[in-house]
Amino acid sequence: MPDQYRATFDSGEFEAARAPDAAKTDDEGERYESAARDYVQFVNPHLGELLERVALDKCFVGAEGHVLIDAEGERYLDAVSGYGAVPFGHNPDWVWQAVRDFEQRREPCMVQPSLLPGAGELAEALVRRGPPGMRHVTFGSSGTEAVEAAIKACRLATGRLGVLSTENGFHGKTLAALSATGRPFFQEGCGAPAAGFRFVPYGDADALDEALREHGHETAAFIVEPIQGEGGVVEPPAGYLGLARRICDRHGVLLIVDEIQTGLGRTGALFACQSEGITPDALTLAKALGGGLLPVSACLLSASAWTPEFASKHSSTFGGNALAMRVALRVVERLASEEHGVIENVVRQGSYLKRGLRALQREHGSVIREVRGRGLMLGVELGVDPSFMARGVGTFMTRLGEHLAAFAASYLLNVCGLRVAPTLAGGNVLRVQPPLTVTRDECDWIIRAFQQLARTIGAGRSDEFVAHLVAPKGSKRPRTEAVRGGQSTRTEDAAEGEGRFAFIVHLLDLRSMAECDRSLAGLSSSELGELAHRFEDSAKPFHASSVRIQSTSGQTARGDFIILPKTTTQLLRMSPDEALEDVASAVRLGKERGARIVGLGGYTSVVAQNIRALLKIGVPLTTGNSYTVVSAVEAAVEAARTTGRSMEHYRAAIVGGAGSIGSALASLIAERVASVVLVGREGDSAAMRKRYAVILARMVRHLARRRAQGVRFAPGSLADELSRLQCGEELSQSEGRLRLTESAEQRVLAQTSELPVRFTVDLPAAVAQADIVFLATSSPDPLIQPDMVRPGTVVCDLSRPANVSDDLFQRGDVLVIDGGIVAVPGRPDLGFRFGLAPGLAYACMAETMMLALEHRYEHTSLGRDLQEESLDSFRDLAGKHGFRLAELRARQRPIDLRAWRSRTAA
């Protein structure tokens, strides 16, 4: 804040200068804010929630000049200026004096249809100072009313109904104005655009000429903004308005220039169209005309646009009311006064401010992409350094996408004390339009605030960017050193003949947010939870990184990792349709980037159980579950070898044994262990019995096939006994699910009833009796607690998030390993770590890579029951291409096996 303001505030002079009722006691301030929030709740609860999520929900209880004061007494420089409706700052004395003068005169305010002297004087002032040729004026209360009047006048004057507008333009939200607004988002569901409205690209004079050659005979008017405000502060090429004027004249079409935002000094001229020396047929004004106090608008018409018919058909109850006219007249006089030099100040300070912001652009080009506009109507387009993804820092800001500007506005407001706002439809553009009377010190304030924003974003400091959103109220976070991430080799476009894949992942839990963006590592769990909540609605799938995989056989594949930035808990909290649509969006993004097969990781395969909806996207899918099972068994064998105990005496428990991974694990692990317990959830007993019978028959079929392949099992072992049964031949398969007839089910259960394999829902008992426990569930909760597990037990956790309690890791006599982690051939940096070391990947990712290396673009590992042939295939493909089990790891970190052995020996 400039010293001149700080001194005024600190001295207490500001309180004396405010209106008597502007100072609020604590109770009054609370009631004031409560009433404001009630209003938002009644009128637009969605807006209220949005403002709360990005901490733009300030309630300002006082204002003077260019500064706003919130209920806590914090002060902010207002560089929004009511979207231009506060041209001289808040509560200027001379505007209030106009109100007091009106009160003292006791002039009647609304006496239509009698003569209105105030309206006459204001109309005369506008016509005299407006572009030459304007002859008539009609008044309203809002900019959209002025646009409606202009369209109506031009239609009546020409006898035509067609209106031509520009893409990305904005003219208001009543029906005709909305129909002329070139943004489908605002029109959908409202019956807009109405018949007769067409659009051409903004700034393209040739397109305008071509459209009028074809439709000019049915077109009443072309409506255009000198600068598109809500479209992102977009300027047309120099001379565009002049060309538009001549093209309209050539085709006998009237020209409406919408100066609701640009008019009355905002661009450095009283009217922006004066800069090109043109006179429109209709000119619309609003916003600044009310001096920041009253709603008032005007539509100026030339003789060619005004008709007696329009005069008789158009009126407004509040248009031309005497109070608004008297205030607006003072506004026009003030702007036109050389003594006050308002327009000169706009030119001078606007030029200074734009130069300062453009200097920042040269210094921070990855953040400040462009500075646009004229005078004090500026737009700053923001971006994020694309290398953040490869470096593993600043990725939160990258994920914000089109919401970056809203979060940047929140940072500037809450951290820098600068109030700016995103444009409605201009992407990541922040409007910078301070009052027309802004000072040089205040321009410096704006420049310094943007400099701080650019440095924070440019350094990849997501933690600093969001600290005000997540920290407890009133707390201060000390500045930390810049985080430097590793560099990742840039991946070129796919070469001819290379495989192409994409893999979809999501955030496992709150801590994985910090794994995705290491600059967030200093945030607490509660702060990460707050950030996840605020970010939830704006979290859309995005491309995180790309990698080229080279097999040891020489084959190559290029792949993209697509991030669905929702945690497991958030995905489970969503409705099935919402979650499925998020996954579908991620799959479509992978396909658009060239993937020939897409892998579904973590909960994206769980929430996508209605797989038919994803199949319609037209790209083959895999869950990666087949190689996950294969690698989990390899990890279990390696862990058992480490303990020094013979695995053939192990008792295995598979938690989640009825699922796709668990049931396949049962078949493979039965080759090696003495007994198997499948642990399921409470449910319908008949359905559980059917599922258990199918899994038993599958185990029998698998082991019989292995015997036929020449594998010999220890006499009397579980595998030996199961492999001799015949009931596995009765299995049938339909839509990825194995089935048994009722009679076959009875035979399976009868033949296996005496064998050491069973099904239970008693999780603690099953785990307590096991030597090795596999966790393969879709639960996001820690299911295994320390008191459940015997000393010496091996726990292989394939679930993501982990099903192992954090406390279990404190026990030195239990070996907990992460299942399904493999080394990728050549150990390439995947660019996005997923909590793993460089060159490591989850087995489900590796399966997708192998399919791409093989150019096997077919649906794989889908359905509830994986095919034994698929398990064998991926075991062979891993050997062919050089994928291998990673060193044993826990919590994504290598296990110190020597330390573990010494603890267990003690």
Side-chain angles (χ1 to χ4, degrees):
M1 175 176 293
D3 292 341
Q4 67 185 75
Y5 280 111
R6 188 173 304 282
T8 301
F9 282 122
D10 293 345
S11 69
E13 293 176 14
F14 179 75
E15 292 294 336
R18 292 164 67 184
D21 62 344
K24 309 291 182 191
T25 66
D26 289 343
D27 288 344
E28 286 174 329
E30 290 179 9
R31 287 197 300 272
Y32 195 86
E33 183 166 352
S34 176
R37 293 188 185 280
D38 286 345
Y39 171 76
V40 171
Q41 185 61 36
F42 283 122
V43 175
N44 192 341
H46 175 71
L47 175 62
E49 182 179 346
L50 175 64
L51 292 176
E52 184 274 332
R53 281 185 183 273
V54 296
L56 291 173
D57 55 337
K58 294 289 183 187
C59 179
F60 298 108
V61 300
E64 188 74 20
H66 306 158
V67 174
L68 294 162
I69 302 94
D70 68 15
E72 284 74 42
E74 293 293 332
R75 295 162 310 254
Y76 308 84
L77 177 62
D78 185 6
V80 178
S81 303
Y83 308 121
V86 184
F88 308 103
H90 298 274
N91 297 313
D93 285 340
W94 59 268
V95 174
W96 279 111
Q97 187 60 50
V99 175
R100 289 191 289 268
D101 292 344
F102 179 81
E103 179 187 22
Q104 290 174 0
R105 287 195 305 271
R106 298 295 184 184
E107 183 180 347
C109 190
M110 286 178 282
V111 290
Q112 292 91 332
S114 301
L115 297 179
L116 306 176
E121 291 180 40
L122 176 59
E124 190 277 332
L126 288 171
V127 167
R128 177 161 43 88
R129 294 180 172 87
M134 309 311 291
R135 293 289 181 267
H136 305 273
V137 184
T138 184
F139 295 108
S141 300
S142 65
T144 193
E145 281 185 76
V147 170
E148 294 278 343
I151 291 173
K152 185 190 299 185
C154 291
R155 282 178 162 177
L156 290 170
T158 61
R160 309 170 196 149
L161 296 181
V163 175
L164 191 62
S165 185
T166 61
E167 296 168 359
N168 203 45
F170 186 88
H171 300 285
K173 293 180 180 176
T174 51
L175 188 57
L178 183 59
S179 295
T181 291
R183 296 287 299 189
F185 171 80
F186 296 111
Q187 298 172 334
E188 291 168 357
C190 302
F197 285 84
R198 292 185 175 86
F199 301 90
V200 293
Y202 182 66
D204 188 338
D206 290 338
L208 172 63
D209 193 28
E210 181 179 349
L212 291 184
R213 275 201 305 271
E214 183 176 355
H215 298 287
H217 64 283
E218 58 188 0
T219 302
F222 171 55
I223 182 170
V224 65
E225 301 161 271
I227 298 174
Q228 287 188 330
E230 301 305 338
V233 191
V234 179
E235 292 184 88
Y240 173 65
L241 287 185
L243 284 173
R245 173 74 276 180
R246 291 192 290 276
I247 292 168
C248 286
D249 289 342
R250 188 160 61 245
H251 294 285
V253 172
L254 301 180
L255 175 64
I256 304 171
V257 174
D258 181 346
E259 294 230 31
I260 290 166
Q261 288 202 35
T262 59
L264 301 173
R266 176 57 57 182
T267 65
L270 196 58
F271 303 101
C273 63
Q274 289 176 326
S275 300
E276 295 199 28
I278 69 157
T279 296
D281 298 292
L283 176 67
T284 59
L285 301 172
K287 296 194 183 298
L289 194 56
L293 193 62
L294 294 174
V296 57
S297 65
C299 174
L300 282 64
L301 300 170
S302 70
S304 58
W306 184 90
T307 60
E309 189 179 7
F310 170 73
S312 65
K313 290 185 175 181
H314 184 78
S315 63
S316 169
T317 299
F318 297 105
N321 77 83
L323 176 59
M325 299 297 99
R326 294 302 180 188
V327 169
L329 184 59
R330 294 281 181 94
V331 168
V332 173
E333 291 171 348
R334 190 89 170 188
L335 287 170
S337 167
E338 293 184 6
E339 177 186 353
H340 293 101
V342 177
I343 302 297
E344 181 185 350
N345 189 70
V346 172
V347 173
R348 184 173 60 254
Q349 305 303 348
S351 176
Y352 177 80
L353 181 56
K354 189 173 184 179
R355 285 199 307 273
L357 292 173
R358 282 194 163 169
L360 293 180
Q361 179 188 356
R362 290 191 293 273
E363 183 180 357
H364 304 280
S366 65
V367 179
I368 298 179
R369 300 291 174 83
E370 191 173 1
V371 179
R372 301 192 289 264
R374 297 200 302 270
L376 290 172
M377 185 176 179
L378 302 178
V380 178
E381 183 177 346
L382 301 178
V384 177
D385 189 338
S387 73
F388 284 165
M389 284 297 177
R391 294 162 52 196
V393 296
T395 53
F396 170 80
M397 294 179 287
T398 304
R399 296 202 311 268
L400 289 172
E402 63 184 11
H403 301 280
L404 175 65
F407 281 82
S410 173
Y411 178 90
L412 290 169
L413 180 70
N414 291 280
V415 178
C416 305
L418 174 66
R419 185 170 181 258
V420 295
T423 55
L424 279 180
N428 279 318
V429 177
L430 288 174
R431 68 174 87 236
V432 182
Q433 47 188 65
L436 308 183
T437 47
V438 68
T439 66
R440 180 62 56 90
D441 283 347
E442 290 166 339
C443 289
D444 286 334
W445 184 352
I446 295 169
I447 293 167
R448 286 196 300 270
F450 270 92
Q451 182 179 48
Q452 183 171 334
L453 172 72
R455 285 175 175 173
T456 299
I457 296 178
R461 294 313 310 246
S462 295
D463 55 343
E464 292 183 10
F465 190 63
V466 303
H468 69 281
L469 293 170
V470 302
K473 195 171 184 178
S475 66
K476 299 291 184 183
R477 176 172 296 280
R479 183 176 180 86
T480 52
E481 292 300 318
V483 177
R484 295 184 180 274
Q487 294 296 322
S488 175
T489 302
R490 181 178 180 271
T491 303
E492 305 294 335
D493 293 337
E496 185 177 355
E498 280 192 320
R500 289 291 278 111
F501 71 91
F503 192 83
I504 314 299
V505 296
H506 64 85
L507 304 177
L508 296 179
D509 50 30
L510 295 176
R511 293 313 311 174
S512 63
M513 294 178 67
E515 291 170 357
C516 295
D517 185 339
R518 294 197 303 280
S519 70
L520 298 176
L523 300 185
S524 67
S525 294
S526 62
E527 290 171 333
L528 288 172
E530 179 67 18
L531 181 58
H533 162 70
R534 292 180 181 271
F535 180 54
E536 187 169 2
D537 283 353
S538 55
K540 302 299 180 186
F542 63 94
H543 168 244
S545 63
S546 299
V547 66
R548 175 170 280 120
I549 307 298
Q550 181 160 1
S551 161
T552 52
S553 67
Q555 294 162 272
T556 60
R558 182 183 183 278
D560 296 319
F561 290 99
I562 309 297
I563 305 299
L564 179 57
K566 299 261 175 69
T567 65
T568 303
T569 301
Q570 288 173 329
L571 285 172
L572 292 177
R573 196 165 57 227
M574 298 168 70
S575 72
D577 289 345
E578 290 174 330
L580 184 63
E581 178 51 37
D582 269 10
V583 175
S585 296
V587 173
R588 284 191 289 267
L589 178 57
K591 181 184 177 183
E592 290 166 5
R593 293 186 59 83
R596 302 286 302 280
I597 188 164
V598 176
L600 303 175
Y603 268 70
T604 64
S605 59
V606 175
V607 302
Q609 290 184 7
N610 180 15
I611 198 72
R612 287 186 179 86
L614 297 184
L615 298 182
K616 294 177 182 177
I617 296 174
V619 63
L621 303 173
T622 177
T623 61
N625 286 347
S626 294
Y627 189 53
T628 296
V629 172
V630 170
S631 64
V633 172
E634 292 178 353
V637 171
E638 176 65 17
R641 187 192 63 77
T642 297
T643 66
R645 296 166 56 201
S646 174
M647 199 171 187
E648 66 184 22
H649 301 300
Y650 269 37
R651 293 164 293 184
I654 302 175
V655 183
S660 174
I661 293 175
S663 59
L665 265 173
S667 294
L668 266 63
I669 203 64
E671 297 183 36
R672 302 175 179 275
V673 298
S675 67
V676 175
V677 177
L678 304 173
V679 185
R681 295 176 294 183
E682 294 282 357
D684 178 70
S685 58
M688 291 168 58
R689 179 185 176 89
K690 285 181 178 295
R691 181 60 181 161
Y692 178 46
V694 166
I695 295 172
L696 285 170
R698 176 182 181 165
M699 295 170 71
V700 169
R701 187 177 70 178
H702 169 75
L703 292 166
R705 187 169 62 90
R706 295 287 285 163
R707 178 183 287 276
Q709 292 171 344
V711 177
R712 294 291 173 259
F713 304 118
S717 67
L718 173 63
D720 183 52
E721 296 291 339
L722 285 173
S723 68
R724 297 179 186 277
L725 301 179
Q726 303 300 316
C727 54
E729 299 173 359
E730 302 188 55
L731 282 168
S732 63
Q733 185 158 344
S734 174
E735 296 182 344
R737 178 170 294 203
L738 294 172
R739 303 178 190 276
L740 287 171
T741 64
E742 189 171 343
S743 59
E745 176 187 316
Q746 297 295 334
R747 286 191 292 276
V748 170
L749 293 174
Q751 291 183 37
T752 59
S753 61
E754 301 299 323
L755 297 179
V757 56
R758 63 189 178 89
F759 184 86
T760 183
V761 294
D762 189 347
L763 172 65
V767 172
Q769 297 168 16
D771 301 295
I772 186 166
V773 178
F774 293 93
L775 300 169
T777 81
S778 59
S779 171
D781 301 320
L783 303 178
I784 307 301
Q785 303 297 329
D787 58 357
M788 295 181 179
V789 186
R790 298 187 312 153
T793 301
V794 174
V795 179
C796 180
D797 193 352
L798 290 91
S799 301
R800 299 293 180 271
N803 286 160
V804 174
S805 164
D806 287 343
D807 294 336
L808 186 60
F809 288 93
Q810 306 305 316
R811 283 189 51 177
D813 58 352
V814 175
L815 181 58
V816 181
I817 64 172
D818 297 330
I821 298 179
V822 299
V824 179
R827 301 292 288 260
D829 189 340
L830 303 183
F832 201 81
R833 299 291 173 79
F834 317 101
L836 301 175
L840 300 187
Y842 290 107
C844 50
M845 299 176 185
E847 176 172 319
T848 312
M849 296 172 187
M850 284 186 253
L851 289 169
L853 287 167
E854 289 288 305
H855 291 218
R856 267 178 55 184
Y857 301 129
E858 58 193 39
H859 297 304
T860 308
S861 301
L862 304 182
R864 190 173 186 180
D865 292 300
L866 303 174
Q867 299 177 12
E868 281 82 358
E869 294 82 358
S870 181
L871 302 179
D872 293 342
S873 171
F874 283 108
R875 184 186 293 110
D876 295 340
L877 287 177
K880 172 184 177 180
H881 293 295
F883 291 86
R884 58 180 177 78
L885 182 70
E887 59 188 341
L888 295 181
R889 306 173 75 83
R891 292 179 173 178
Q892 292 90 39
R893 295 181 176 84
I895 298 173
D896 187 341
L897 293 174
R898 181 177 299 178
W900 185 84
R901 291 192 194 97
S902 65
R903 287 197 303 270
T904 53

